[in-house]
Amino acid sequence: MKNIGFLSFGHWSDSPQSATRSGADALLQSIDLAVAAEELGADGAYFRVHHFARQLASPFPLLSAIGARTSRIEIGTGVIDMRYENPLYFAENAAAADLISGGRLQLGISRGSPEQVIAGYKYFGFEPPEGMTDADMARGHTQVLLEVLKGEGFAEPNPRPMFPNPPGRLPLEPQSPGLRDRIWWGAGSRATAEWTAEQGMNLMSSTLLTEDTGVPFHQLQAEQIQRFRDAWTAAGHQREPRVSVSRSIFPLVSDLDRAYFGSESRSTDQVGFLEGGAARFGRTYAAEPDRLIEELREDEAIAAADTLLITVPNQLGVDYNAHVIESLLTHVAPGLGWR
């Protein structure tokens, strides 16, 4: 295990039990948690993106702010729904945020998950062309994004521009070298993982797979990762790809930990239906550190990945989530070969 970071959905609620009561709280606490995670030695701060929900939505202002407040930690998303994205505006925002951070962005994107509203991307001005699905549209947006991130000129210059142009067709500006290699696709199936490899994107796999073969979640995910790596080799890409998996992991080292998550020690995989098909959800890990190390060592997908993202219960506040991260890094991660 080379990298360990956190993944936050950025929920907020005006419930008296929530430490994150507003959109401002969610954003400012996300920045504070990323700063704290860097100070604790974590490798990454990642954020989920949802629209029409009391969660984090537009990622680039947040990523830019974190980039300006930190110096080392990777900053990413897990994931941005490409059905909602103008790929050219996305590329400009991403390059600007990446330059502010000094080239630390790791951007997870995908075709999206079930949302709060029906076909919410239509309100953003996007609708699949005749004969295409919303998933096709997301992949189309992604293809455009990957192409413009190469930095090649494609736009016809104005013969009488406001400012002098360099010769030839013009690319988007600013450009951030290397960003194209730091795009990840959130794949929910084995077939999608193979497509991800063919496109030359890194693989981001969460605690949900939109298929079920009857084997434990971590084994199905490990097969997904292997298929990704095989397809990457077959495609002939020259660089080494990266793979991340997400887990809910809670070391029980205090009475408060046990009060919050002690009941999760009996957690198991769940099988359900999502968008008309079978889906398998990974378990939550919650135990004393020694037992947690034993259980996580048996997780084949964690062993196969180079990056582990732990999901954090952000509404419990910055201090408690920093405690969860510190407990994992101090009491569990060394036993998994981290650092």
Side-chain angles (χ1 to χ4, degrees):
M1 181 58 57
K2 300 172 184 171
N3 296 279
I4 295 180
F6 73 82
L7 172 63
S8 173
F9 280 52
H11 297 282
W12 78 83
S13 167
D14 57 8
S15 165
Q17 285 74 43
S18 175
T20 309
R21 306 288 296 276
S22 67
D25 286 344
L27 290 163
L28 295 173
Q29 290 177 16
S30 294
I31 296 169
D32 289 343
L33 184 58
V35 171
E38 179 172 84
E39 292 172 351
L40 291 169
D43 301 302
Y46 287 72
F47 302 92
R48 187 71 166 89
V49 178
H50 277 292
H51 302 290
F52 300 103
R54 290 188 168 187
Q55 300 177 38
L56 298 172
S58 54
F60 292 112
L62 174 61
L63 299 177
S64 297
I66 293 172
R69 287 278 307 277
T70 59
S71 61
R72 178 192 56 80
I73 197 169
E74 291 183 344
I75 310 163
T77 53
V79 290
I80 299 172
D81 187 336
M82 290 303 291
R83 295 176 296 181
Y84 288 75
E85 295 295 325
N86 176 319
L88 300 188
Y89 194 48
F90 181 112
E92 289 182 341
N93 280 330
D98 196 42
L99 291 170
I100 289 171
S101 74
R104 288 182 283 133
L105 255 58
Q106 303 286 340
L107 295 178
I109 62 177
S110 82
R111 65 125 248 186
S113 59
E115 293 291 300
Q116 298 298 107
V117 299
I118 297 172
Y121 44 83
K122 293 182 180 179
Y123 298 100
F124 280 57
F126 301 110
E127 193 160 358
E130 186 71 28
M132 292 179 62
T133 67
D134 60 321
D136 294 331
M137 180 176 67
R139 292 189 181 199
H141 289 177
T142 300
Q143 296 288 0
V144 174
L145 171 66
L146 297 178
E147 190 63 30
V148 298
L149 285 179
K150 293 179 181 177
E152 298 172 358
F154 63 91
E156 191 69 36
N158 188 337
R160 292 181 294 278
M162 181 178 297
F163 306 105
N165 282 324
R169 295 179 181 269
L170 303 181
L172 286 180
E173 299 291 354
Q175 292 288 322
S176 188
L179 181 57
R180 168 63 179 82
D181 291 343
R182 288 179 273 117
I183 304 298
W184 308 56
W185 185 264
S189 68
R190 293 164 296 173
T192 307
E194 292 173 337
W195 176 84
T196 301
E198 292 165 1
Q199 310 312 308
M201 291 186 284
N202 303 302
L203 175 65
M204 185 172 280
S205 191
S206 72
T207 54
L208 164 68
L209 291 174
T210 55
E211 57 186 347
D212 178 43
T213 63
V215 303
F217 175 85
H218 70 97
Q219 292 181 356
L220 181 60
Q221 193 175 48
E223 181 187 344
Q224 180 197 41
I225 293 170
Q226 188 57 54
R227 289 197 183 193
F228 166 79
R229 294 193 185 281
D230 291 343
W232 185 277
T233 300
H237 302 304
Q238 296 304 304
R239 68 178 179 88
E240 186 70 20
R242 290 185 61 182
V243 175
S244 74
V245 296
S246 301
R247 293 289 185 272
S248 296
I249 303 173
F250 300 100
L252 304 181
V253 299
S254 71
D255 290 341
L256 188 58
D257 296 333
R258 286 181 278 274
Y260 279 144
F261 301 107
S263 62
E264 296 289 349
S265 61
R266 298 179 294 277
S267 173
T268 60
D269 288 357
Q270 299 179 50
V271 177
F273 288 87
L274 186 66
E275 296 186 326
R280 182 169 282 266
F281 302 80
R283 57 169 291 192
T284 294
Y285 289 94
E288 305 293 329
D290 289 348
R291 180 182 159 200
L292 204 51
I293 291 171
E294 292 178 6
E295 293 178 350
L296 293 171
R297 282 176 175 170
E298 296 177 358
D299 190 309
E300 296 177 18
I302 290 178
D306 63 75
T307 299
L308 172 63
L309 302 180
I310 59 167
T311 59
V312 294
N314 73 282
Q315 288 188 90
L316 293 180
V318 173
D319 289 345
Y320 183 74
N321 281 285
H323 159 74
V324 171
I325 294 169
E326 183 176 25
S327 296
L328 179 72
L329 297 181
T330 301
H331 302 295
V332 178
L336 300 177
W338 180 70
R339 300 282 170 86

